[in-house]
Every structure is written in structure tokens, then in C-alpha cells.
Amino acid sequence: MIKIYNVGQGDSFLFKPDSCMYNKTPILIDCGTKSAKVYKKIVENIDTVLISHSHGDHLNGLEDIIKYKNISNLYIPYYFSEIYSILNYLKLNKHKKNNKLFIKSLSKVSIHLLKEDDELCNHIKIYNPPINHFEYFGDWIIRNDNHNIDMALKHLKTLGFDLPDNEILNYKSPLNESIKDNNIKNEYNQNARKFIHNFFQTLSIRLIDEITISIPKQTKIYFQSIANKASIVLKFKNEYKSYLFTGDADISVFERIFEKHGQDSLSTDILKVPHHGSKKNLNERILKKIKPSVAIFSHKNEYEHPDEDIIMLMKQLNIKDYYTNDVKRK
């Protein structure tokens, strides 16, 4: 069973699958915006929350979920805190208390980092995010291997960014204390620092190469792109049904998964359409490989989501489509 909360332009699903450990205590996948007040809509007892990625329309309801629900386990993408820290570094988030929530207020909640090939149970497999930094930053680093982190920070300062150089250069993850295994902790901190460095290096390179868009807008676009690439993609499958949850994963994420795990790896009965039906996150080629019989759109007709072309694809491929809000059909 999947319960879909209408949170406007955002995502929130209560997943209670048959023949699975989450049948007794369902898992909440994303929390919508704070104003959606998902915590008031949940009548079931829950102790597990999964945040697909760090965008506010998936994340910002978490604070009240933590306050009013007895949460024991929080699942987040492997590089989630790093992405969220980047958001604060660049001063794009006015609600900094959310960062404190993850660092301090969750001391009683076990935080689990999800990555490719992890499993939540015998039925749920994780296909994204990868650990490899190059999967996020493409060939930016390879093509500009002489543009190191020191050069990047100097360039960003000339553009008006007020960045904490020492904190970036010697970055320590805010999740450091929550990781108990020292080997995992050391590996994660090294990866997290490299991820942070790669982000600022590639941001600097991007702002050099693409000067036609304003710096604040370009920075925001780049942040959103990296966060989407880190979205958790998970597939549930038992002998009766399969479900695919995709967060805001973009087309490059699906192509990488198909290449590594096979063309049929993401085939499913029920698809949570990525990014509210944006054509930047789904196309005909991908949809034909996923082959869903049912597609769920969580949206509020904002930012041209869902895209008319994606809606038409549902009709052309005989996929039953369900929407949290009305859409105009051709």
C-alpha cells in the first residue's frame, strides 16, 4: 500500500508494502514542505523516514515529523549533509535552523547513509546515489585538472562569494559523530571532503565557462542539479508488486543505472514520476525501459510541472497516470 499526501509542489508518501518488515511500521518517503504539515496527516505509527534529497519540497516537513512522531531511523543519501552544507555556505537557505536540526536535534535518531547497492530489507534495493565523485561532476574535473580547490576559492571570492576557506579546505562532515564504525567514518570523511572540494571547483569552472546567466541563478541551477543527481532511487519488489521511487533523479541518473545494472533493472509496476513530471528528468526512452503500468505525479502545476510532453507519453504508452492536482490534458 502507498498513501500519497497532497503537499502541493513537493513529495511525501507513506509506504506500507505487503510481505515486508515495513508492513507493520511503514516508511515515510519525503516530508513535503513545512506548510504542508504532513505530520498532521499521518495517523499510523511510524519510526522510519527516508529523505530522497535535500530540496525543501521533500525535506522541510521533517522538523515537525521529528517533533511530533516517534522517529528512530532516518535514511538520507550518502552525500546529503554535504549538499545541505553547500546550501548554507552559499547563503541560499534562509532557514538555517534546519541545519542545526540535523546536527544536534537528531541525537536520538539513528542516521543511515544510503548509497548504490545498499538494501533496506530483502525487498528494497538502492540504485542511487553512487559514491564515485565523477558520477556527479562528470568530466568537469578531468578537463580542468589544473583548476584546484585553492584557485576555485580565490575565483569565487572575486565573484562576491563569502566562503569559509578553512572550513571548506579541512571539511569535516556534520555526520561525523553519528558514524560509529571508525573505518566507515574515515572513508566517509575523506569522500565528503573530496565531494565538497569538487563541488566548489566545478562551480568555479562553470561560472567561468557560462557567463550569460547571472551568478546567483547559475549557482542555484548548479546546486539543484547536483542535489538531483544524489537523489535516492529505490526499488521495492516482492512476488506481487514492484514500486520505483525516484526523488528528483535526472535523466543522467537513469542512464547510469541502466548502464551499470542492466536495461531492465528499474522495470516496475508502479512509478513515482521523478521531479513532478519534468521533461528534464524523464523521456520516452527511459519510460519504455521502466515499463510501469501506473505512474504517480506529485505536483501543483508550478514551474511547468508536469510537462505536457510527459503527460502525453502516459497516454501514448497506455500508462495509468494519477495526479495529486488537476492537469490539463490535450
Side-chain angles (χ1 to χ4, degrees):
M1 180 199 78
I2 177 173
K3 184 177 287 188
I4 306 157
Y5 299 113
N6 186 350
V7 296
Q9 189 74 8
D11 277 9
S12 188
F13 309 92
L14 192 67
F15 189 43
K16 186 179 180 181
D18 295 332
S19 306
C20 178
M21 61 182 287
Y22 293 109
N23 184 40
K24 294 182 179 180
T25 55
I27 180 171
L28 182 67
I29 301 176
D30 287 332
C31 302
T33 62
K34 187 175 180 65
S35 61
K37 298 182 179 179
V38 170
Y39 74 97
K40 288 187 175 182
K41 302 176 182 181
I42 301 172
V43 297
E44 295 85 351
N45 292 323
I46 62 171
D47 67 4
T48 300
V49 176
L50 183 150
I51 299 295
S52 65
H53 65 296
S54 61
H55 288 167
D57 56 340
H58 299 251
L59 164 70
N60 286 351
L62 177 62
E63 182 177 4
D64 288 330
I65 295 292
I66 297 296
K67 282 182 181 178
Y68 303 113
K69 298 293 179 179
N70 188 24
I71 303 303
S72 301
N73 297 292
L74 176 65
Y75 290 93
I76 60 179
Y78 190 79
Y79 289 118
F80 178 88
S81 63
E82 278 55 54
I83 292 173
Y84 203 69
S85 296
I86 291 167
L87 189 64
N88 284 321
Y89 285 154
L90 298 183
K91 301 183 185 301
L92 296 176
N93 184 5
K94 296 179 181 178
H95 305 289
K96 290 191 175 181
K97 64 181 181 180
N98 282 333
N99 200 33
K100 292 180 181 178
L101 170 67
F102 280 95
I103 297 172
K104 297 179 181 179
S105 300
L106 295 182
S107 58
K108 296 181 181 179
V109 178
S110 296
I111 299 175
H112 309 274
L113 305 174
L114 289 183
K115 61 186 183 302
E116 184 177 22
D117 292 326
D118 284 345
E119 295 182 351
L120 294 188
C121 63
N122 293 334
H123 308 96
I124 299 178
K125 181 175 180 178
I126 307 300
Y127 286 92
N128 201 64
I131 292 181
N132 189 340
H133 310 103
F134 289 104
E135 302 293 353
Y136 299 89
F137 304 105
D139 62 351
W140 290 87
I141 295 293
I142 297 174
R143 288 189 289 110
N144 300 273
D145 59 356
N146 63 330
H147 192 81
N148 60 35
I149 184 62
D150 295 299
M151 294 173 62
L153 293 177
K154 288 179 181 178
H155 176 238
L156 291 171
K157 281 197 171 184
T158 66
L159 296 176
F161 289 90
D162 180 18
L163 299 172
D165 288 6
N166 289 333
E167 192 171 348
I168 293 172
L169 291 171
N170 303 299
Y171 183 77
K172 291 184 179 180
S173 170
L175 291 176
N176 186 59
E177 296 305 317
S178 68
I179 301 174
K180 306 304 181 185
D181 187 301
N182 285 330
N183 291 329
I184 295 175
K185 180 185 294 187
N186 291 335
E187 179 187 38
Y188 181 70
N189 279 326
Q190 290 176 10
N191 286 336
R193 183 175 299 176
K194 186 63 176 176
F195 185 93
I196 282 283
H197 289 184
N198 281 348
F199 177 88
F200 286 108
Q201 285 174 247
T202 51
L203 174 62
S204 173
I205 294 165
R206 183 165 180 148
L207 293 176
I208 292 172
D209 290 352
E210 302 180 29
I211 59 175
T212 57
I213 303 177
S214 70
I215 289 174
K217 184 176 181 180
Q218 182 72 314
T219 303
K220 184 176 181 180
I221 291 172
Y222 191 52
F223 168 77
Q224 290 174 337
S225 171
I226 297 300
N228 288 347
K229 290 181 185 299
S231 279
I232 291 175
V233 174
L234 71 88
K235 181 179 175 180
F236 169 91
K237 184 177 181 180
N238 63 14
E239 58 184 307
Y240 308 109
K241 285 281 186 185
S242 57
Y243 297 79
L244 185 65
F245 294 91
T246 58
D248 282 357
D250 64 20
I251 288 173
S252 69
V253 169
F254 295 112
E255 296 291 4
R256 183 194 67 78
I257 293 172
F258 292 138
E259 182 177 352
K260 182 172 181 180
H261 296 275
Q263 301 299 304
D264 294 326
S265 56
L266 298 183
S267 62
T268 191
D269 297 310
I270 299 171
L271 167 68
K272 198 294 292 187
V273 174
H275 204 181
H276 323 294
S278 168
K279 64 181 179 181
K280 294 181 180 180
N281 299 71
L282 194 63
N283 58 28
E284 182 176 1
R285 182 170 177 270
I286 291 171
L287 201 51
K288 283 183 175 179
K289 291 181 180 180
I290 295 177
K291 299 176 289 190
S293 55
V294 173
I296 299 167
F297 291 75
S298 184
H299 73 101
K300 197 183 177 182
N301 291 301
E302 295 181 8
Y303 312 105
E304 300 181 357
H305 300 157
D307 188 273
E308 290 183 2
D309 291 343
I310 301 300
I311 296 174
M312 284 297 295
L313 269 179
M314 299 297 144
K315 182 178 180 181
Q316 293 168 9
L317 299 176
N318 296 315
I319 300 170
K320 293 181 181 179
D321 46 347
Y322 297 91
Y323 301 82
T324 53
N325 287 283
D326 293 337
V327 295
K328 293 180 180 180
R329 299 172 184 263
K330 294 181 180 179

